[in-house]
Amino acid sequence: MADDKDDDLGLGRSKMPKIAKVKNKLPAPVQITAEQLLREAKERELELVQPPPKQKISDQDELRDYQMRKRKKFEDNIRKNRSLIATWLAYASWEESQHNLRNARSVYERALDVDHRNRVIWLRYAEMEMKNRQINSARNVWDRAVAILPRADQLWFKYVYMEEKLGNIAGCRQVFERWMEWQPGEQAWMSYINFEIRCKELDRARYIYERFVNVHPSTRNWIKYAKFEEKNGYVDSARSIFERAGVYFGVEHIDETLFIAFAKFEEAQKEHERARAIYKKALELLPRDNAQEVVRLHTIHEKRFGDHAAIDNVISSKRRYKYEEAVQENKYDYDSWYQYIRLMESEGLEKAEQTKELYERAIANIPPSQEKQHWRRYIYLWINYALFAELDLGDVSMTREIYRQCLNIIPHKRFTFAKIWIMFAEFEIRHRDVGAARRILGHAIGMCPKDKLFRDYIALEQQLVQFDRCRKLYEKFLEFSPENCRTWIDFATMEDYLDDIPRARAVFELAISQPVLDMPEVLWKAYIDFELKQENYNGALALHRRLLERTQHVQVWLSYAKTQMSTDSEDGIQKTREVFREANRQMKGCENKEERKQLLEAWKNFEHEYGTGKTKADVDRLQPTTVIRRRKCENDSGAELWEEFTDYMFPDDDAAKPNLKLLAIAKSWKVSNAAQSSTLDEEVKSENSDEDSDNESSLDVNKSKIQNKKRQSSSSSESSVASEDKNARIKHFGKDQPGSSDEEGTQAQKSKHNSESDSDSENGADHRRKKARRPSSESSDSEGGKKSSESSDSSESEDESDDDEKRKNAESSDSDSKHSNRRHQMKRPRSDSEDEVNAHKTKVKAKRI
């Protein structure tokens, strides 16, 4: 009951409204956007609040009452939150609106007591005084404000603006001076300068600029100062300002904008040489990454005002920058160092000091590893440096010091560079100090002996005609490298040049007695040539025989034969022939058949020039036969392939005789078969030309004739090849097989019988063809014709009977050896005669149609 009562009174719980269930959740056909809702709200003015009703004050009492209520409201708000400056400002503004400046000043002063560092209060306070034309009060407020907040530039700007508006130039300048004592920002200084410019006090403005660049010494401010001087016609002063700026910043802190501005100033004054010098100085002092704009402007300047040399200089500067980047990235990139140094050297002696410094930078990058391959490019830096110092600079002592430093750096215990030692010695010789050159080369040989060092030292002594020293050097050289054949040859050649033949021969003998030699064939050839030069042919022949005891090379035999032939003895030709025969016997089992073929060709040439008919024939019979063979090989992927190669078969080799016989038989068969086929083709062509008007029966007869001829030729050639092959195999294996002679006889008889029967059948067919061609009207003309036809028929019948008897005899003789001959018989090769006949037959039909 109590709950019902409360509900009735409205004190109970209120029931929540029921949420309407939306049955259709599909979007409405007409959609309403938020923009449309806002527009409708504005049109209907749904959010407008009605302004409060205006209160009209009719007398002083109502005014005082209104002011009292308003002040009480502001005071209450201030008591609630004293630190809220907006309330103070609103209070002071209301008092100002009531034209009660005394109360407004009181409010501002009370606000300043709360927060005296709030610049908004000072600004509103001073603006109130200026708005009400209280100038002195405003000055007092500004003075108090800038004294309390000297870093608030806005207060100073308002102060000087007021004084300038009032026309108090001296007071304004005084305010600026007070402001500049605090060294404000760049904008304050520029305001002071612009104030003096407005007052047309240029000297004061220049003085302020001097103070300005000392307080704020940035590149931009120096450029402003210089442009100010240039604008007002002080050109010399502007140039001096740029120069002072360059000195002030120095090399480390200078900026490219200063150089660009300075160069543009000189271009404007048409001082192009000065501008070019400024650009070059900038490129020398500035890092290349920070001088891209300088490079671009320099290039434009040179293209506009420079000559070809200046343009080339600009291009070379770009290349210098590229090489500088490369060596900075990788100091061991010696190729870049070479190109960089070459570029500097191309600019002449004007940059000799820079080139020298660049060489010093390059040679300071010693390879970190002790491998000679890493030192090869590096060592040429020292060589070029020494040549530059000697040829370009002409400094002998500097060049000598460079060579010494280079030799001290090289690790001679691991490797050395003979070129450095030799160039150092040649340098001393050029300056007429032979003793120093000998000491250098002797020191090199003692520390790190090399073939090149020995040879150049010997060449030096030979030029000085000191052959005793050369002999000692050769002895040391051969002690160091006794297997070097070139050294032995040079030693002997020197002795030969000095006409000391026994010593030269002794050197050669000692050389060929060495157990190990790098090129013994060259040494032996030099020894033989030496003996031939001395016309000691017996000694040369003896050397050949000694050499043949060690090797059986074909060139040795050919040289032996040539030497034997060069002797002026009567039996020289016969002895040379004996040399060739001995060489052929020795090389009979040689695996390298090319060498033996070369020997036989040389022998053949010799016999054709000096030999007789018999000797020529003997040598021609020894010439090999070229055979193309196949063998297995593997490619890069490992797959097996067959490749062809050239082989030689010599007639005097036992193993090659059966193969040569078989090859000869096959070759003869090929030649005979080709001749017969050509003859048959000619016959076919002649018969085809005569039989254009014949009928089809004549074509069939011609076809049978060609087939019989082909069968006859193939059977005869097959039988001959088979019999010869059989004889060759029997001769090769040295024993007879049972039934071999019978089979050969039977085969020959059968081939003969077949050839006879084929020829008879061919004759009979030819006769019948001629009879068939004869017209039927001629058969009834005369009896003589009948008798001749009868005689031909009788002869034909007799021939056919003889053929039958021969065939029976051949079949009876072949019945015993039919099985044995079956495997030796070869199939008749197919021919194209049938195709030719069919083609001709088609051609005849086409002509008839």
Side-chain angles (χ1 to χ4, degrees):
M1 293 295 290
D3 295 337
D4 295 339
K5 188 176 181 179
D6 293 338
D7 294 339
D8 295 338
L9 295 175
L11 299 176
R13 297 179 179 178
S14 61
K15 293 183 180 180
M16 296 295 294
K18 293 183 179 179
I19 300 173
K21 293 183 179 180
V22 180
K23 296 181 180 180
N24 188 4
K25 295 183 179 181
L26 294 175
V30 179
Q31 296 291 322
I32 300 175
T33 62
E35 182 182 0
Q36 186 176 358
L37 293 174
L38 293 174
R39 187 168 59 252
E40 290 178 356
K42 178 146 182 79
E43 290 175 356
R44 298 178 183 179
E45 297 182 353
L46 298 177
E47 296 182 358
L48 292 179
V49 179
Q50 293 295 330
K54 292 184 178 180
Q55 184 180 3
K56 293 183 179 180
I57 298 173
S58 59
D59 55 4
Q60 291 292 331
D61 294 333
E62 291 180 0
L63 177 60
R64 284 193 294 270
D65 183 54
Y66 166 74
Q67 291 176 349
M68 186 181 297
R69 289 197 310 270
K70 198 71 175 175
R71 288 190 182 99
K72 184 176 182 301
K73 183 179 179 181
F74 280 119
E75 292 293 339
D76 292 339
N77 292 332
I78 289 171
R79 281 194 297 270
K80 291 178 183 179
N81 190 358
R82 185 178 178 82
S83 61
L84 187 61
I85 302 301
T87 306
W88 291 102
L89 295 177
Y91 192 6
S93 297
W94 181 80
E95 291 290 349
E96 182 183 1
S97 65
Q98 299 298 318
H99 302 286
N100 194 350
L101 297 180
R102 184 177 180 181
N103 289 342
R105 290 191 187 100
S106 176
V107 173
Y108 278 120
E109 292 294 338
R110 289 169 61 191
L112 290 173
D113 291 338
V114 175
D115 188 5
H116 66 280
R117 302 192 66 83
N118 193 329
R119 66 184 67 181
V120 178
I121 299 175
W122 291 105
L123 289 172
R124 298 285 290 274
Y125 193 3
E127 287 175 359
M128 183 196 71
E129 297 291 349
M130 289 190 296
K131 189 184 298 183
N132 293 282
R133 300 180 182 276
Q134 302 295 322
I135 305 301
N136 291 327
S137 297
R139 285 194 182 103
N140 292 332
V141 172
W142 288 125
D143 289 335
R144 290 170 60 194
V146 297
I148 294 173
L149 299 172
R151 297 297 181 186
D153 293 340
Q154 189 176 7
L155 301 177
W156 290 103
F157 277 120
K158 290 284 186 179
Y159 195 3
V160 297
Y161 177 74
M162 185 191 73
E163 295 293 346
E164 188 176 1
K165 280 292 184 181
L166 293 174
N168 187 9
I169 304 301
C172 183
R173 187 177 289 117
Q174 186 178 3
V175 173
F176 268 119
E177 289 295 334
R178 288 172 59 191
W179 189 9
M180 295 303 113
E181 290 177 358
W182 291 96
Q183 295 183 356
E186 296 178 3
Q187 188 177 1
W189 288 96
M190 294 305 300
S191 298
Y192 192 10
I193 292 169
N194 292 330
F195 166 73
E196 295 293 349
I197 292 173
R198 288 194 297 271
C199 295
K200 299 181 179 179
E201 295 288 343
L202 296 180
D203 293 335
R204 285 182 176 275
R206 294 172 68 185
Y207 174 69
I208 295 167
Y209 258 121
E210 287 288 341
R211 294 165 59 191
F212 173 43
V213 295
N214 289 327
V215 175
H216 297 283
S218 64
T219 305
R220 183 175 65 257
N221 297 333
W222 282 98
I223 295 172
K224 286 181 181 179
Y225 186 15
K227 287 183 177 180
F228 169 76
E229 295 289 330
E230 180 186 3
K231 182 179 180 181
N232 292 282
Y234 303 104
V235 177
D236 295 334
S237 178
R239 185 177 290 112
S240 65
I241 289 168
F242 278 118
E243 293 174 355
R244 285 168 53 197
V247 174
Y248 177 82
F249 288 106
V251 179
E252 296 180 356
H253 302 92
I254 200 165
D255 191 5
E256 69 169 347
T257 55
L258 182 62
F259 285 106
I260 293 172
F262 195 5
K264 287 183 177 180
F265 164 76
E266 296 294 350
E267 286 183 12
Q269 303 303 323
K270 298 183 179 180
E271 295 288 344
H272 301 299
E273 292 297 330
R274 287 178 175 270
R276 185 178 292 109
I278 291 168
Y279 281 126
K280 290 182 179 180
K281 190 67 175 177
L283 293 175
E284 291 177 2
L285 297 178
L286 295 175
R288 198 69 179 191
D289 295 336
N290 301 330
Q292 297 295 328
E293 188 66 17
V294 176
V295 174
R296 187 181 68 83
L297 294 175
H298 186 201
T299 306
I300 295 173
H301 175 267
E302 293 298 340
K303 288 180 179 179
R304 292 176 60 188
F305 307 107
D307 52 3
H308 292 287
I311 296 173
D312 293 340
N313 190 15
V314 172
I315 296 172
S316 64
S317 65
K318 292 182 179 180
R319 293 176 61 191
R320 281 197 300 272
Y321 170 66
K322 178 182 177 181
Y323 296 141
E324 189 67 34
E325 281 187 341
V327 298
Q328 290 291 339
E329 183 178 356
N330 183 12
K331 62 181 180 179
Y332 298 113
D333 186 6
Y334 299 117
D335 292 332
S336 298
W337 283 111
Y338 290 136
Q339 296 172 359
Y340 195 3
I341 292 169
R342 194 178 297 114
L343 176 63
M344 295 298 294
E345 289 179 349
S346 65
E347 296 182 2
L349 296 177
E350 298 177 356
K351 296 188 177 181
E353 290 296 327
Q354 297 181 5
T355 306
K356 182 180 176 182
E357 293 177 0
L358 189 61
Y359 268 119
E360 293 292 339
R361 286 174 55 195
I363 62 178
N365 302 312
I366 302 174
S369 64
Q370 296 293 324
E371 298 294 333
K372 188 174 182 179
Q373 60 181 356
H374 299 150
W375 283 68
R376 293 185 186 278
R377 300 293 294 165
Y378 169 73
I379 209 66
Y380 275 95
L381 290 173
W382 286 95
I383 294 173
N384 294 337
Y385 191 14
L387 294 176
F388 171 75
E390 181 183 2
L391 302 178
D392 295 344
L393 301 181
D395 194 342
V396 177
S397 60
M398 178 182 174
T399 306
R400 187 178 289 109
E401 187 63 27
I402 290 171
Y403 279 119
R404 288 174 181 172
Q405 290 180 5
C406 179
L407 292 174
N408 292 332
I409 289 175
I410 298 173
H412 298 288
K413 292 184 178 180
R414 295 181 63 88
F415 57 85
T416 189
F417 291 94
K419 192 175 187 66
I420 295 294
W421 295 100
I422 294 168
M423 290 185 68
F424 194 9
E426 290 176 351
F427 164 76
E428 296 294 350
I429 291 171
R430 284 195 297 271
H431 294 85
R432 302 180 183 279
D433 195 351
V434 180
R438 283 173 176 164
R439 286 193 298 271
I440 291 168
L441 292 175
H443 185 59
I445 290 172
M447 181 182 293
C448 45
K450 290 187 70 175
D451 293 355
K452 187 173 179 59
L453 291 172
F454 278 108
R455 297 188 192 285
D456 285 84
Y457 196 0
I458 292 169
L460 172 63
E461 295 297 346
Q462 286 178 353
Q463 292 176 2
L464 298 174
V465 199
Q466 297 293 328
F467 294 105
D468 293 335
R469 288 179 175 271
C470 291
R471 288 191 179 99
K472 292 180 181 179
L473 288 173
Y474 271 122
E475 291 175 1
K476 295 291 184 182
F477 194 1
L478 292 172
E479 289 178 3
F480 167 68
S481 178
E483 72 280 355
N484 196 331
C485 293
R486 182 183 173 188
T487 307
W488 289 103
I489 295 170
D490 293 342
F491 192 7
T493 304
M494 186 191 73
E495 297 296 346
D496 183 19
Y497 175 76
L498 297 174
D499 290 334
D500 197 345
I501 304 304
R503 186 187 289 270
R505 188 174 285 113
V507 170
F508 274 122
E509 288 292 337
L510 188 60
I512 62 176
S513 64
Q514 295 297 320
V516 178
L517 293 171
D518 54 357
M519 293 185 295
E521 65 280 1
V522 178
L523 179 61
W524 282 91
K525 185 179 184 303
Y527 193 5
I528 293 168
D529 292 342
F530 167 75
E531 295 293 349
L532 292 175
K533 181 182 177 182
Q534 302 300 325
E535 296 183 357
N536 186 9
Y537 297 107
N538 294 329
L541 294 174
L543 284 175
H544 277 102
R545 287 190 291 272
R546 291 169 61 187
L547 181 57
L548 287 171
E549 293 176 0
R550 300 190 179 189
T551 180
Q552 294 291 326
H553 198 273
V554 64
Q555 294 296 334
V556 179
W557 286 105
L558 295 178
S559 177
Y560 187 15
K562 184 178 179 181
T563 304
Q564 185 67 55
M565 189 63 193
S566 62
T567 59
D568 296 334
S569 59
E570 297 178 356
D571 55 349
I573 297 175
Q574 185 61 30
K575 289 184 178 180
T576 305
R577 188 177 291 112
E578 292 296 331
V579 171
F580 277 116
R581 287 175 182 171
E582 184 181 357
N584 188 27
R585 286 195 302 271
Q586 294 294 335
M587 298 183 68
K588 196 169 184 179
C590 181
E591 295 181 358
N592 192 352
K593 297 182 179 181
E594 288 283 350
E595 294 182 357
R596 189 179 178 191
K597 179 177 177 294
Q598 185 179 358
L599 176 68
L600 291 173
E601 287 179 355
W603 191 5
K604 180 180 179 181
N605 295 332
F606 167 77
E607 293 295 346
H608 279 276
E609 185 175 358
Y610 301 104
T612 61
K614 183 177 181 304
T615 57
K616 292 178 183 179
D618 293 340
V619 175
D620 290 338
R621 282 195 297 270
L622 295 175
Q623 296 301 317
T625 303
T626 304
V627 181
I628 303 299
R629 297 184 183 275
R630 299 179 67 193
R631 60 188 174 192
K632 282 186 178 181
C633 64
E634 293 184 357
N635 56 6
D636 296 337
S637 60
E640 291 186 356
L641 299 175
W642 286 90
E643 67 173 1
E644 294 184 351
F645 67 99
T646 304
D647 194 9
Y648 301 100
M649 300 183 67
F650 297 91
D652 55 348
D653 289 345
D654 295 335
K657 289 180 180 180
N659 295 331
L660 288 174
K661 187 69 175 178
L662 182 60
L663 288 173
I665 295 169
K667 187 175 182 181
S668 63
W669 175 81
K670 183 177 180 181
V671 171
S672 62
N673 192 16
Q676 291 177 4
S677 61
S678 62
T679 305
L680 291 176
D681 292 337
E682 292 177 357
E683 292 179 359
V684 169
K685 289 180 181 179
S686 62
E687 289 178 0
N688 290 337
S689 62
D690 296 336
E691 294 178 358
D692 291 339
S693 61
D694 292 346
N695 53 12
E696 295 180 0
S697 61
S698 63
L699 293 174
D700 295 335
V701 173
N702 191 11
K703 178 178 177 182
S704 62
K705 178 181 177 181
I706 293 172
Q707 289 179 354
N708 291 332
K709 287 187 177 182
K710 285 284 186 178
R711 190 181 300 110
Q712 176 185 356
S713 61
S714 62
S715 60
S716 61
S717 60
E718 288 170 1
S719 61
S720 61
V721 169
S723 60
E724 289 178 359
D725 187 15
K726 186 70 174 182
N727 295 330
R729 290 184 180 181
I730 294 170
K731 186 176 181 181
H732 174 64
F733 291 106
K735 59 182 180 178
D736 297 335
Q737 296 180 359
S740 60
S741 60
D742 297 336
E743 290 174 1
E744 292 174 359
T746 306
Q747 183 71 19
Q749 185 177 0
K750 187 174 181 179
S751 63
K752 183 177 180 182
H753 175 71
N754 290 334
S755 62
E756 292 176 354
S757 62
D758 291 338
S759 62
D760 293 337
S761 62
E762 182 181 349
N763 294 329
D766 193 9
H767 182 71
R768 285 191 298 271
R769 185 175 67 252
K770 291 179 180 179
K771 184 178 180 180
R773 287 181 182 178
R774 201 177 305 160
S776 58
S777 60
E778 293 181 358
S779 61
S780 60
D781 288 343
S782 61
E783 295 178 356
K786 293 180 181 180
K787 292 180 181 179
S788 60
S789 62
E790 290 175 359
S791 62
S792 63
D793 293 335
S794 61
S795 61
E796 183 178 353
S797 61
E798 291 175 359
D799 293 335
E800 289 178 357
S801 61
D802 293 336
D803 292 338
D804 294 335
E805 290 177 0
K806 291 179 180 179
R807 190 178 297 108
K808 290 179 181 180
N809 295 329
E811 289 175 358
S812 62
S813 62
D814 293 337
S815 60
D816 297 332
S817 59
K818 184 177 181 180
H819 179 70
S820 60
N821 288 334
R822 184 175 300 168
R823 55 179 180 151
H824 294 287
Q825 292 179 357
M826 299 175 64
K827 293 182 179 181
R828 180 177 61 87
R830 294 183 62 184
S831 63
D832 298 334
S833 58
E834 296 179 1
D835 297 335
E836 294 176 356
V837 171
N838 293 331
H840 179 70
K841 186 176 180 180
T842 306
K843 185 177 179 181
V844 171
K845 287 182 179 181
K847 285 184 178 181
R848 289 178 179 177
I849 292 171

